[in-house]
Amino acid sequence: MLGSKGAAIFAALLLLITPLAATAQDVTLTSRDGGVEITGTLLGFDGEFYRVDTVYGELTVDGSGVTCEGPGCPNLLDFVAEVDFSGSSTMAEVLMPALLEGFALRNGYRVRRSNLDETHVDFFLSDGQTQKTLARFGFRVTTTDEGFADLLADEADIVLALREIRPEERTRAREAGMGDMTDRNRSRVLALDAMVPIVSPGNPVKAISMPDLAAAFSGKITNWADLGGPDAPITLHLPDAGSGLAQAVEDRLLRPVGAVLPDDVVRHRVSSALSRAVTTDPFGLGLVSFAEVGNARMLTLTGSCGFTLEATRRTIKTEDYPLTSPMFLYMPARRLPKLAREFLGYLRGPAAQIVIRRVGFVDQAPEEIPINRQGDRFANAISSAGEEVTLDEIQRMVSTLRPMTRLTTSFRFETGSTRLDAQSRSNVEQLARAIEAGVYDARSLSFVGFSDGEGPAPANLEIARRRATAVRDAVTAAAEAVTPGRVELKIEAYGEAMPMACDDSAWGRQVNRRVEVWVK
């Protein structure tokens, strides 16, 4: 950033490098003392700072320290803040408009929608009293792939994504001077969703295992009879290939078992069309957003050990459901207009969480689950007790947890890694902010580690304890403003004592490896 006080220093540096730029482009910024000129193409103006593409690269310049000349200069009196979003149609068509309406209502703005074409929508925010237009929020309703492409082409400020940024996209963004898009200030989990298998209401199949779901979507199981249904071919339905949800299916369901999608998958541009098609297809099997199931029927996930996992708001929030799918915002290392920054700040608050929940997605606000609402989990613990985990250990766990309630805030790790997954990294920030705000003052938070059942029980117990300690330390480091003694942060570990899913698959083992938060 170039402030007015730094204009002289910056001018000196430029003069040491090369004479003043002489190539005429669409703007020339001149310091108040006339000592430096910056000529280039105006990329943006947020009401305070200019962002200019120059021969020295992209520069951000404090508008109070310069004057602007040229055809690209903005009108300072009638400035309208502009921010462009591109990406997931699910987010652009449903979630973001609802959040903009909530933000406008909270701040006394009026919202006007303008449909430019099939894929471009603008929302204009105006002052509720003067009717003066203050901001334009533009949305390109497309796919996660296209969202990242628009960002790299400098045609979008923020990406709406239903998957994490891929390594090649991260590298190209860094090379383009956008910073590391995985940093905490560059990426954010906006809301939670999940991929859920759906069938027609008349289909007799009620449940499916994760291995069978992967086998069906890789073309290895092609008949419903193999899943306990009628002797009929399975028709597979997915969103468009470039959509984040479809790519998440490949990344998280198929790639771990070395499988790929067959060629005869029926594709749909939006999830709502997918769910309608499966509803009327008696032999259809689809994977769709939890928020857009419609009149189709969700299948419960099951395993050979008898445990079942159903997609609900609570199991998605805790990540107990294995196919959770966070909804991301990705932002490059550049300054956004003040009104856009205020909107992003609103998205972190409790008012936005209410809006997210009302439109059918899963919010991130922590909830407390009393122990008497967790009967299935403790039944799993009892049924899996044996030589490795004794009944005494189960009784110790129940005795410790009985006076507490479980938070929906949970932590899980990337496959084969000690790094927290994306949703859990967001949970670290959410929990730290809640602690800083005094939500848990004079209370005790216990970070409780669990493991899968592979390997010796004592080793698993120690691994679970180390993970719980690591999560506690990460939350402590993030809650910088908390004074010692306000909240008690404890560590507990029970290893493989309370499995959530069967250990017979990589998905089940990943669900079982977790750190829960219990509060007293």
Side-chain angles (χ1 to χ4, degrees):
M1 302 265 177
L2 179 65
S4 55
K5 290 183 179 180
I9 296 174
F10 182 71
L13 289 173
L14 288 183
L15 291 172
L16 285 172
I17 297 171
T18 185
L20 294 177
T23 304
Q25 295 187 48
D26 66 352
V27 296
T28 298
L29 305 179
T30 306
S31 62
R32 299 296 183 186
D33 61 5
V36 62
E37 287 184 356
I38 301 172
T39 301
T41 302
L42 184 68
L43 298 177
F45 177 68
D46 66 3
E48 300 172 289
F49 287 79
Y50 296 94
R51 187 164 59 87
V52 185
D53 184 17
T54 75
V55 293
Y56 310 107
E58 185 177 312
L59 300 177
T60 301
V61 183
D62 187 345
S64 65
V66 297
T67 59
C68 183
E69 295 182 358
C73 291
N75 185 330
L76 300 183
L77 295 178
D78 294 320
F79 169 72
V80 175
E82 295 190 348
V83 59
D84 287 295
F85 298 77
S86 178
S88 160
S89 61
T90 299
M91 298 174 70
E93 289 182 324
V94 181
L95 182 57
M96 297 304 292
L99 287 167
L100 267 176
E101 291 280 358
F103 172 70
L105 183 63
R106 189 176 182 83
N107 291 279
Y109 302 135
R110 292 192 176 186
V111 181
R112 177 173 61 85
R113 176 177 178 140
S114 174
N115 295 325
L116 304 180
D117 56 41
E118 189 179 69
T119 61
H120 290 84
V121 181
D122 281 347
F123 290 86
F124 294 92
L125 266 61
S126 59
D127 185 278
Q129 296 181 337
T130 66
Q131 308 302 310
K132 178 183 177 182
T133 299
L134 302 175
R136 178 190 66 83
F137 288 78
F139 292 89
R140 184 174 178 229
V141 184
T142 177
T143 66
T144 298
D145 266 6
E146 288 295 317
F148 282 115
D150 286 346
L151 180 73
L152 293 168
D154 209 26
E155 295 176 359
D157 300 297
I158 298 176
V159 179
L160 308 173
L162 288 183
R163 61 164 172 82
E164 289 193 72
I165 189 170
R166 288 180 163 170
E168 61 273 19
E169 293 164 337
R170 179 184 177 187
T171 299
R172 288 161 58 198
R174 188 189 290 112
E175 292 172 347
M178 297 180 179
D180 186 348
M181 299 294 283
T182 63
D183 284 351
R184 57 187 292 187
N185 294 326
R186 305 276 72 81
S187 65
R188 179 189 302 182
V189 175
L190 174 63
L192 305 175
D193 200 359
M195 299 177 284
V196 295
I198 57 171
V199 295
S200 168
N203 192 311
V205 175
K206 307 295 183 185
I208 189 170
S209 70
M210 286 284 285
D212 282 350
L213 185 64
F217 273 93
S218 62
K220 295 177 181 176
I221 292 179
T222 59
N223 195 293
W224 280 108
D226 296 324
L227 299 174
D231 183 11
I234 298 172
T235 305
L236 299 174
H237 295 261
L238 279 178
D240 280 346
S243 73
L245 191 144
Q247 292 173 335
V249 171
E250 297 180 57
D251 293 347
R252 300 181 57 193
L253 181 66
L254 301 181
R255 189 168 296 163
V257 294
V260 295
L261 288 167
D263 295 330
D264 59 350
V265 175
V266 180
R267 299 285 189 171
H268 304 270
R269 194 182 72 81
V270 294
S271 289
S272 55
L274 192 161
S275 61
R276 288 195 298 270
V278 173
T279 299
T280 57
D281 181 354
F283 307 123
L285 174 64
L287 274 167
V288 71
S289 161
F290 172 76
E292 296 184 304
V293 171
N295 293 322
R297 180 166 53 77
M298 288 189 290
L299 295 180
T300 299
L301 297 182
T302 187
S304 60
C305 64
F307 297 167
T308 60
L309 289 168
E310 186 176 349
T312 66
R313 186 176 56 82
R314 187 164 286 168
T315 60
I316 293 170
K317 190 177 286 193
T318 59
E319 278 193 283
D320 292 347
Y321 183 75
L323 291 177
T324 56
S325 181
M327 312 178 85
F328 297 93
L329 297 180
Y330 281 97
M331 301 159 282
R334 67 173 61 140
R335 187 181 178 89
L336 293 173
K338 182 180 179 182
L339 200 59
R341 299 197 304 271
E342 291 174 351
F343 176 60
L344 292 175
Y346 162 80
L347 297 181
R348 291 188 183 275
Q353 303 308 308
I354 294 172
V355 173
I356 289 167
R357 185 169 172 176
R358 283 179 176 171
V359 295
F361 297 97
V362 179
D363 62 279
Q364 298 181 82
E367 302 173 37
E368 296 186 21
I369 312 172
I371 200 166
N372 60 7
R373 298 282 298 276
Q374 303 180 55
D376 288 346
R377 284 159 42 87
F378 285 91
N380 290 350
I382 294 170
S383 65
S384 62
E387 292 183 5
E388 291 287 307
V389 180
T390 66
L391 188 58
D392 287 344
E393 180 67 1
I394 301 297
Q395 290 173 336
R396 180 180 76 87
M397 178 181 69
V398 173
S399 176
T400 302
L401 300 181
R402 188 192 301 276
M404 307 182 192
T405 55
R406 181 195 178 191
L407 287 185
T408 49
T409 304
S410 299
F411 302 89
R412 284 181 169 82
F413 302 84
E414 293 179 348
T415 304
S417 171
T418 58
R419 186 174 186 247
L420 290 170
D421 65 20
Q423 185 170 329
S424 298
R425 295 195 297 273
S426 177
N427 287 345
V428 168
E429 301 297 326
Q430 293 272 356
L431 184 56
R433 284 197 298 272
I435 292 173
E436 287 179 327
V439 174
Y440 301 108
D441 279 3
R443 302 185 73 181
S444 173
L445 294 178
S446 291
F447 293 82
V448 184
F450 295 94
S451 72
D452 60 41
E454 285 203 329
N460 287 335
L461 181 62
E462 181 56 31
I463 291 171
R465 187 178 300 280
R466 289 204 302 265
R467 285 179 176 150
T469 302
V471 171
R472 191 269 315 271
D473 292 347
V475 172
T476 301
E480 298 174 352
V482 176
T483 56
R486 278 176 52 186
V487 184
E488 183 182 21
L489 303 180
K490 301 168 63 177
I491 297 296
E492 298 284 351
Y494 299 104
E496 55 195 76
M498 189 157 55
M500 294 297 306
C502 305
D503 272 328
D504 60 354
S505 69
W507 302 285
R509 291 189 292 273
Q510 185 168 6
V511 168
N512 289 334
R513 296 190 296 265
R514 67 197 186 277
V515 175
E516 299 179 357
V517 182
W518 289 69
V519 61
K520 182 178 179 181

